[in-house]
Amino acid sequence: MATVDLKDVRKVYGGRIEAVKGVSIAIPDGSMCVLVGPSGCGKSTLLRMIAGLEEITEGTVSIGGEVVNKKGPAERDIAMVFQNYALYPHMKVYDNMAYGLRNRGMARDEIDRRVREAAATLGLAEFLERKPRELSGGQRQRVAMGRAIVRSPKAFLFDEPLSNLDAKLRGQMRIEIKNLQKSLGVTSVYVTHDQVEAMTLADTLVVMNQGLAEQIDTPMAIYERPASVFVAGFIGSPAMNLLAATGGEPGKGLKLAGGAVVKPRDTVLPEAGREVLLGVRPEHMTLVSDRNNADIELKVTAVETLGADTLAHGHPVAGDLRSGELIARLPGSVHVADDDVLPLAIQPGMAHIFDAASGRRI
Amino acid sequence: MSPRVVFPNKLLPYLLLAPQVAITLVFFYWPASQALYQSVLREDPFGLNSAFVGLANFRRVLSQPSYIDSVQTTAIFSVATALLAMVVALLLAVMVDKIIKGRGFYRTLMIWPYAVAPAIAGMLWLFMFNPTMGTFAYMLRSAGYSWDPLLNGPQAMTLVIAAAAWKQISYNFLFFVAGLQAIPKTLIEAAAIDGAGETKRFWTIIFPLLAPTTFFLLVINTTYAFFDTFGIIHAVTGGGPGKATETLVYKVYNDGFVNLNFGDSAAQSVILMVIVIALTAFQFRYVERKVHYG
Ligand SMILES: Nc1ncnc2c1ncn2[C@@H]1O[C@H](COP(=O)(O)OP(=O)(O)OP(=O)(O)O)[C@@H](O)[C@H]1O
Ligand SMILES: [Mg+2]
């Protein structure tokens, strides 16, 4: 067990492609750090640099306070779970798990004890004599986990370990991984592009975009105060509504692109004339009884009934499509039809203002 | 599932198959049956009379000490050729797999020898190692090694083995390269993280996963060493010196076409066929069991 520290880590492939552009993350001992971001943002590259599978162009990676840039993957004492599991197809489950221990010259009975213990934890005891191809996807996933656990490494690295499983199994394994990681207390780095996995697993969440860490914080802090338009749009489902607006005269609120004026409560408003984006999460808009109390009137163009919730899609009445599409998440009991006009209030303090040019939070 | 495609014309499929069937008939079944037929006949040297003699030809061939010697020569030659060709090819393939720049170039270079006809390959080696004018022979001699494959049996054997293996290396190389590429990179990475060094990875992960390729090549190379090396031996040593490099195929040719003993020669080729069939059957029965197919 150990801390994992990244300092200004950069990766340039072949002298041209800059996949990671300087990322610093400090992961405390025993905690779970999740890297999330769209495809191609450099998550795997970063993880592989921690693992020692990819050379580090610049910056340092330390594990347990010791810089490991020059060390090979074996010497870093980490274990990795791959997306395709990477089980050795010609070895039995038992040997798959024992392989790493044998290579390190561990005594036979100690290997046996560890493998059986891990197999029991993961519910694999009856499959030890099987070959990987005789297992289901979920069982293979467990074997891959088992191979990592038996080693008791300083850190676990996961690269989208659940993306080959169906939705139900994914949910189940997610919880198992979380429990396992907590009970073992092993520092972990987990790569995913699934924001539900990211939110539920992370102690520290890193939102990456184009080779940079846009924001590093706890999942809730990122949800509540996204640092940029990118983070705001990436975390949360359905995504945060973003409306183009300009700062109005002091005390007058915000002018939406379509002409309507919005005055969110408990929010610091930008100075007059400044181009901004107003962000409101769908779940932070409440239906009010009276037009006069409404911040925005939503003209409904489509309705999604999910049961517990109803999603109303549309655009602000006073505006036109320029001010952007809006989604409001309303209780399932509310009946909404196309062409309805819904008076909506933004919950106090739940408006986010971003600079239109830089995309940073104001 | 897509429906089965059916030829509307009943005759067309047979027409399309006909050339392949004709070739097999003319170049395999017909000669094979001729050999079988000849092997039970005794013919006078002028080819005027022949008489049915039953298994007498086989009895005589198998009781010749020179035939037993030839079996031994063939065993040494085949095992050495197949092993050498496969080991060197695997080594080269593993090394090319590590090259990133110019990999295609190296691969193309490696494939060329396969396009060289056996007799030409034999001549090449003959020239290179010819005691009077060969470059390599000169180098060997100046290194203090007395090199004369024309007189020294083991040296002649070494030379034909090298030449025969050299020609087969390209073929094996191609298959090993393809086999290596089919091994997922993440497996190698997982093994590296699991603390296996390069040699260990090769023997515990790569080699076992290459087994299907290796097995296939074992069968192909054995057959090659038995049958297809005639041209090389003919060009390099002509079976000599003495009978040091006279393999079974070469003896078939020598007894039949040089010494015009058709009965013996035919009996030998039948025995040879049986040996190769038995060997291949053995490989499939016992060696293939150890092969793990992905
Ligand atoms: N070996 C390589 N050589 C050159 N460029 C590479 C290499 N590996 C990755 N890249 C590039 O680096 C960038 C980051 O790739 P990376 O695999 O880290 O993305 P990712 O965030 O893991 O995406 P995904 O979610 O699709 O797995 C991509 O633009 C990719 O094209
Ligand atoms: Mg990836």
Side-chain angles (χ1 to χ4, degrees):
Chain A
M1 269 159 274
T3 57
V4 174
D5 285 294
L6 310 186
K7 272 217 178 61
D8 298 318
V9 173
R10 243 165 51 89
K11 175 72 194 180
V12 180
Y13 281 114
R16 291 178 300 115
I17 306 164
E18 195 176 12
V20 176
K21 303 174 183 167
V23 172
S24 304
I25 310 171
I27 307 167
D29 189 8
S31 84
M32 178 93 139
C33 169
V34 175
L35 308 178
V36 70
S39 189
C41 68
K43 312 181 287 290
S44 297
T45 305
L46 193 57
L47 191 74
R48 292 168 58 82
M49 284 194 284
I50 301 174
L53 297 173
E54 215 72 72
E55 221 168 291
I56 299 161
T57 312
E58 248 174 65
T60 56
V61 171
S62 325
I63 299 176
E66 183 191 0
V67 175
V68 294
N69 283 33
K70 290 275 176 300
K71 286 192 173 181
E75 302 158 308
R76 295 191 187 188
D77 197 13
I78 43 91
M80 185 155 169
V81 178
F82 294 85
Q83 179 173 0
N84 63 5
Y85 316 139
L87 301 179
Y88 312 122
H90 55 297
M91 294 185 197
K92 289 177 189 159
V93 169
Y94 185 98
D95 298 317
N96 260 284
M97 294 207 243
Y99 186 71
L101 303 178
R102 285 184 189 142
N103 287 337
R104 286 175 165 77
M106 189 178 279
R108 232 163 211 285
D109 41 348
E110 173 66 4
I111 294 178
D112 194 62
R113 196 187 60 72
R114 287 204 190 189
V115 170
R116 292 194 188 281
E117 190 185 310
T121 316
L122 293 162
L124 286 171
E126 54 190 304
F127 304 114
L128 284 175
E129 293 303 310
R130 292 213 201 160
K131 294 269 177 70
R133 78 185 131 154
E134 296 157 353
L135 299 177
S136 73
Q139 289 160 349
R140 285 179 209 183
Q141 168 58 45
R142 281 164 210 267
V143 178
M145 294 281 304
R147 195 166 63 178
I149 295 175
V150 289
R151 293 248 323 272
S152 315
K154 286 193 185 138
F156 287 145
L157 307 176
F158 301 88
D159 194 354
E160 309 205 20
L162 303 182
S163 56
N164 285 354
L165 302 178
D166 66 56
K168 185 154 175 266
L169 202 50
R170 192 151 56 207
Q172 194 183 327
M173 286 304 293
R174 194 172 67 216
I175 295 168
E176 277 186 39
I177 289 183
K178 179 78 183 167
N179 291 340
L180 208 58
Q181 191 269 336
K182 264 211 192 117
S183 65
L184 296 173
V186 177
T187 316
S188 303
V189 185
Y190 188 108
V191 163
T192 180
H193 58 240
D194 181 315
Q195 55 153 312
V196 181
E197 267 172 43
M199 291 295 289
T200 51
L201 288 174
D203 295 316
T204 311
L205 183 56
V206 179
V207 183
M208 289 190 61
N209 182 28
Q210 297 184 355
L212 285 171
E214 291 256 339
Q215 191 171 4
I216 305 175
D217 213 328
T218 62
M220 263 334 263
I222 287 181
Y223 174 82
E224 282 164 358
R225 287 183 59 84
S228 68
V229 172
F230 175 82
V231 176
F234 197 80
I235 297 294
S237 169
M240 182 186 282
N241 297 303
L242 290 164
L243 302 174
T246 29
E249 294 305 315
K252 282 271 163 59
L254 285 167
K255 271 202 291 250
L256 294 187
V261 173
V262 191
K263 200 176 161 203
R265 274 157 291 174
D266 297 349
T267 306
V268 182
L269 294 175
E271 57 273 34
R274 183 161 176 187
E275 302 279 333
V276 296
L277 286 168
L278 167 66
V280 188
R281 295 199 182 275
E283 54 271 36
H284 292 154
M285 294 204 278
T286 338
L287 194 59
V288 289
S289 49
D290 185 353
R291 288 188 54 173
N292 298 329
N293 296 335
D295 290 313
I296 296 176
E297 283 184 288
L298 178 72
K299 167 115 170 144
V300 180
T301 54
V303 181
E304 283 182 280
T305 329
L306 303 178
D309 301 314
T310 297
L311 298 181
H313 298 244
H315 53 82
V317 170
D320 50 29
L321 292 175
R322 258 184 305 154
S323 41
E325 203 196 337
L326 265 180
I327 302 176
R329 185 195 281 263
L330 305 171
S333 54
V334 178
H335 291 283
V336 185
D338 285 4
D339 294 329
D340 281 2
V341 173
L342 307 175
L344 297 171
I346 299 170
Q347 291 173 15
M350 291 305 179
H352 308 266
I353 314 261
F354 303 98
D355 183 71
S358 69
R360 308 304 302 180
R361 182 184 194 88
I362 296 176
Chain B
M1 236 175 75
S2 62
R4 249 184 88 153
V5 179
V6 180
F7 282 108
N9 189 327
K10 287 258 174 291
L11 204 60
L12 186 61
Y14 296 100
L15 273 177
L16 291 175
L17 277 177
Q20 179 66 52
V21 173
I23 287 172
T24 316
L25 280 178
V26 172
F27 291 102
F28 180 71
Y29 285 102
W30 187 67
S33 63
Q34 277 296 307
L36 265 176
Y37 176 61
Q38 291 273 348
S39 69
V40 293
L41 294 182
R42 174 105 235 158
E43 201 166 323
D44 69 52
F46 304 103
L48 298 176
N49 289 305
S50 56
F52 179 76
V53 292
L55 294 179
N57 289 336
F58 289 94
R59 241 173 271 137
R60 201 179 36 258
V61 164
L62 288 175
S63 64
Q64 281 169 7
S66 69
Y67 191 74
I68 307 304
D69 285 349
S70 176
V71 169
Q72 231 171 43
T73 308
T74 311
I76 294 170
F77 173 78
S78 302
V79 170
T81 304
L83 268 187
L84 186 64
M86 287 173 67
V87 168
V88 174
L90 181 56
L91 207 73
L92 289 173
V94 167
M95 293 197 300
V96 163
D97 205 49
K98 288 205 195 109
I99 300 176
I100 298 181
K101 266 187 197 158
R103 188 192 281 194
F105 174 72
Y106 284 105
R107 236 183 279 165
T108 314
L109 272 189
M110 298 289 201
I111 291 157
W112 276 351
Y114 196 59
V116 179
I120 310 277
M123 292 309 284
L124 267 171
W125 282 77
L126 186 61
F127 283 139
M128 288 192 297
F129 287 94
N130 184 299
T132 46
M133 58 182 186
T135 321
F136 286 96
Y138 175 76
M139 277 156 56
L140 279 172
R141 263 205 313 278
S142 32
Y145 190 79
S146 95
W147 170 257
D148 193 354
L150 299 184
L151 295 177
N152 184 324
Q155 288 185 357
M157 186 58 132
T158 313
L159 187 57
V160 279
I161 289 171
W166 175 76
K167 232 193 88 51
Q168 194 63 6
I169 284 172
S170 329
Y171 182 87
N172 297 347
F173 170 79
L174 261 187
F175 277 86
F176 277 132
V177 166
L180 284 174
Q181 274 173 353
I183 297 176
K185 234 183 100 208
T186 46
L187 279 189
I188 312 296
E189 291 174 347
I193 291 176
D194 263 343
E198 199 155 352
T199 320
K200 185 93 173 229
R201 285 204 295 273
F202 180 81
W203 289 113
T204 54
I205 309 287
I206 298 176
F207 193 70
L209 292 180
L210 267 184
T213 310
T214 312
F215 174 70
F216 164 78
L217 287 177
L218 179 68
V219 175
I220 296 289
N221 279 263
T222 321
T223 321
Y224 163 81
F226 263 83
F227 286 119
D228 291 348
T229 46
F230 170 79
I232 287 174
I233 295 176
H234 191 53
V236 177
T237 62
K243 291 197 178 298
T245 55
E246 191 176 67
T247 59
L248 289 172
V249 191
Y250 200 79
K251 197 166 159 55
V252 169
Y253 160 81
N254 213 26
D255 288 358
F257 296 94
V258 179
N259 301 333
L260 295 179
N261 191 343
F262 290 118
D264 279 12
S265 167
Q268 286 178 29
S269 46
V270 171
I271 296 172
L272 189 56
M273 254 191 287
V274 171
I275 292 178
V276 171
I277 290 171
L279 209 64
T280 310
F282 171 84
Q283 286 170 336
F284 272 96
R285 182 106 175 66
Y286 295 100
V287 184
E288 201 191 16
R289 276 204 202 149
K290 302 203 165 64
V291 174
H292 171 92
Y293 291 97

